[in-house]
Amino acid sequence: MERFTIPRDVYHGEKALEALKQLKGSKAFVVSGNKAMKENRTLKMVITYLKESGFETSQFEGVEPNPSVETAIKGSKKMLEFEPDWIIAVGGGSTIDAAKAMWAFYEYPDAKFEDLCVPFSFPTLRTKAKFCAVPSTSGTGSEVTAFSIISDYSSGIKYPLADFNITPDVAIVDASVVESMPPRLVAFTGMDALTHAVEAYVSTIYSDYTDAVALYAIGMIDKYLVKSYNGCMEARAKMHDASCLAGMAFSNALLGIVHSLAHKTGIAYSGSQIIHGCANAMYLPKVTKYNSKIPAAAERYAEIADYLKLGGTTTEEKVENLIEWFRGLNDQMNIPQAICYYGEGGAVSDKSVICEKEFIEKLSTVAENAIGDACTGSNPRNPSQEEIEQLLKACYYDADIDF
């Protein structure tokens, strides 16, 4: 038996944010990120609509880009004081992910973070509150997923929390919220969405249901991502929908080792964090080549290439064309092709902010952590420690994959 789970309601299109006025309850706890949310007026509109619906509100602001265990616990304590019956997460994937973890600790104050890290082992939620997500970026799909990524800075590891219990009850996908995204954020989040859809399509647990939304999302990204990066607001609205569809796909088909590597390299190095969407963009071509050594996976990648009309007569040619398409998107949006070109903030640079010496010193540990990541189990090729280390080197030096 298989399962396909998405929020009960997904509001999308023009003025979708006004759906907040339809929520029924008495207390809403609003979680948000940095000041950018205030500057584009979204947060003010959220509070206004909730009050019009009769809610008393309390706000938790300042969720960091890679939310920590400490932030999740701090937010849950504020929730325990306020006792909301709705949690409203307004922001990028980090904000929504943090709010999901706060939700778990709010409903189960004695829960241990390490217990929540065990995939699909959450206790039953909604005993105290329901959850509504309003994404302000077009990449993570967290508004419709069963995932939350939380960082443990003491160990330097990002942990994906996975359970259908944390799939939001309501998602509000309003394109007006993302109109002010800067180009670099458009690029990174867009490549994150693409990686979600591609990994879902080649996952070991894909289905007809996940294929439908994954493949369509890939087609939308092909048509609209670069246009959105170049400032077209119509394309940006389409990318907001594409991100949501990709989220539906991977929440049910799961992901693969592009994400395992991105999770475990994200906060591993002292020189800089590696921005998640940028990591996915750099690693996707390498992992595609690695996975395509498995014939069944190669056929799935070739199907994507056919859908995009990339050409090629053999499966191998189609896979190579797909890889070049990935790399072409990176080039068009000024995304580095490898960690050795990763500059400050993900800018292309001839001097990486990730020290080569530190990278090599931590190679074995990062590889071991990646193998243990929750996303590795659904990857189409089962990697060894040695293969993950080789993959990481290829991702650092932009080397070819021949293993």
Side-chain angles (χ1 to χ4, degrees), residues 55-77:
F55 280 95
E56 177 185 353
T57 63
S58 177
Q59 294 178 242
F60 183 96
E61 299 178 338
V63 173
E64 65 271 49
N66 290 296
S68 64
V69 180
E70 290 76 16
T71 294
I73 293 173
K74 182 179 177 181
S76 70
K77 289 180 178 178

Side-chain angles (χ1 to χ4, degrees), residues 293-361:
K293 304 296 183 181
I294 302 297
E299 288 294 335
R300 298 288 288 177
Y301 287 121
E303 288 173 10
I304 296 174
D306 285 340
Y307 183 76
L308 296 173
K309 296 180 173 59
L310 298 180
T313 56
T314 67
T315 296
E316 184 177 2
E317 287 176 351
K318 292 174 183 179
V319 173
E320 287 299 327
N321 289 345
L322 182 64
I323 291 170
E324 287 307 308
W325 179 68
F326 294 150
R327 292 177 65 91
L329 288 174
N330 289 346
D331 286 339
Q332 290 178 75
M333 297 185 293
N334 298 301
I335 298 174
Q337 297 288 2
I339 301 172
C340 66
Y341 306 122
Y342 184 87
E344 195 65 43
V348 177
S349 173
D350 58 2
K351 184 174 176 58
S352 178
V353 292
I354 307 300
C355 172
E356 181 182 13
K357 183 174 182 290
E358 184 183 13
F359 176 82
I360 295 300
E361 287 173 350

Side-chain angles (χ1 to χ4, degrees), residues 195-221:
T195 305
H196 290 156
V198 171
E199 289 208 292
Y201 195 78
V202 301
S203 160
T204 56
I205 57 171
Y206 68 84
S207 69
D208 291 339
Y209 294 82
T210 59
D211 279 358
V213 284
L215 207 56
Y216 194 77
I218 292 168
M220 291 182 73
I221 293 166

Side-chain angles (χ1 to χ4, degrees), residues 131-153:
F131 193 100
C132 172
V134 183
S136 65
T137 60
S138 305
T140 69
S142 189
E143 70 274 9
V144 293
T145 74
F147 287 86
S148 166
I149 309 301
I150 302 298
S151 297
D152 181 355
Y153 285 94

Side-chain angles (χ1 to χ4, degrees), residues 13-23 30 36-53 55 57 59 61 88 90 134 172 174-179:
E14 189 175 355
K15 297 184 179 180
L17 201 60
E18 293 186 15
L20 288 165
K21 293 190 285 189
Q22 300 180 26
L23 299 184
V30 181
M37 193 53 54
K38 286 185 176 180
E39 291 174 352
N40 73 7
R41 297 180 60 251
T42 298
L43 189 58
K44 182 178 179 180
M45 292 171 65
V46 167
I47 299 299
T48 297
Y49 290 151
L50 288 169
K51 287 183 177 179
E52 286 182 13
S53 190
F55 280 95
T57 63
Q59 294 178 242
E61 299 178 338
I88 316 293
V90 187
V134 183
I172 298 177
D174 190 321
S176 68
V177 180
V178 297
E179 287 180 350

